[in-house]
Amino acid sequence: MHRPLPESDPLAREFTEIMKQIEAGQPMHPMEIWELVVQLREAGAIGWANRLAEHLPD
């Protein structure tokens, strides 16, 4: 199921914060990114999960 999360959802807020840090060039631990990717996928926010997963190392 693909669905956007409401902005008030804690996962949406965490996604926004991590994306801001990534875009600002701040280093992020890959496991921190991966854990949020998994949580977003489980919540049905596949698009956000895939967008975030693009920032994982190969």
Side-chain angles (χ1 to χ4, degrees):
M1 172 168 78
H2 297 270
R3 67 178 178 90
L5 297 172
E7 289 182 27
S8 62
D9 188 290
L11 286 177
R13 290 194 302 267
E14 188 173 354
F15 170 81
T16 300
E17 275 306 307
I18 285 182
M19 288 304 294
K20 284 180 184 177
Q21 290 176 12
I22 290 170
E23 291 167 358
Q26 296 176 355
M28 298 288 304
H29 192 280
M31 198 63 192
E32 186 177 359
I33 294 172
W34 177 248
E35 288 173 355
L36 183 55
V37 167
V38 170
Q39 291 174 349
L40 288 167
R41 286 181 178 161
E42 289 173 352
I46 306 302
W48 284 3
N50 291 344
R51 183 172 161 206
L52 189 58
E54 292 175 4
H55 299 281
L56 288 168
D58 292 331

